[in-house]
Amino acid sequence: MKKQLILLAASFLMSTGSFAQTLKDVVDKHLTALGGPDNLKAFKSAKYTQSTIAPGQSIDATATVIFDKATRIDMNMGGNEIVVATKGDAGWASQGGGAAQDVPVQQLKAITESVTLPGLEIANASLKGQPIDFKGKQTVDGKEYYALSIPLQGGTSTFYIDPATYLIVSRKGSVQAMGQTIDAKVDYDEYKKAGMLTLPYKVQTEAIGQSVTIRLTAFEANPAIDEAIFDKPKQ
């Protein structure tokens, strides 16, 4: 009996080790497909422009980001110019050239998470040592993908990685938006080289019965940034 218990325990440990190694292998290949761990670690800041097409409106926005430090989004919504910026634990916003107003603390995290470049969510979690739940292979629309889940935007999202390319093709999950929990599906498409990285230039989100398409139109990694642009304008 004792020998059988030892063999059973050994079998369990071997199974657990194999499972953990599979997660590491998938993540390692995913990082390589994006441009490699060294390039991802060297990616400290970015400036990029996105065009968003939503029901009844289009939005052009340029984000200037020093990751984990400061964010500025300059956007045009139907001719209305809006600026939103964060730096550390403070933020501000202005509209139509009006006076800058402080952004409530509870909204700051949502703003900073919103400028995470699509396709890099799993990579960011891995490089920061955040937990990743490996769900093995799952079949979606008749095709098998690796499924990995992480906490994101106040909820949990499962990312589906193509075993042929090791790039994210879609994600499903819940997010917190405007005080509500929303179920959303996001498709990643048109991967191209963006400087040192490979990123999806088209992302389509389906949520609450509506579809929103975002296209990456310009991208610069580690640009020269004058940090004064993140400071709240003096009245």
Side-chain angles (χ1 to χ4, degrees), residues 76 78 154:
N76 184 300

XYZ file of all heavy atoms in Angstrom, residues 76 78 154:
16
model
N -10.386 63.131 -30.924
C -11.367 63.968 -31.612
C -12.622 63.143 -31.792
O -12.626 62.116 -32.469
C -10.819 64.420 -32.968
C -11.768 65.371 -33.683
O -12.902 65.025 -33.978
N -11.287 66.567 -33.979
N -16.186 63.615 -33.255
C -17.133 64.453 -34.001
C -16.779 65.917 -33.979
O -17.664 66.772 -33.896
N -11.023 45.013 -14.281
C -12.021 44.756 -13.257
C -12.751 43.443 -13.387
O -13.650 43.142 -12.601
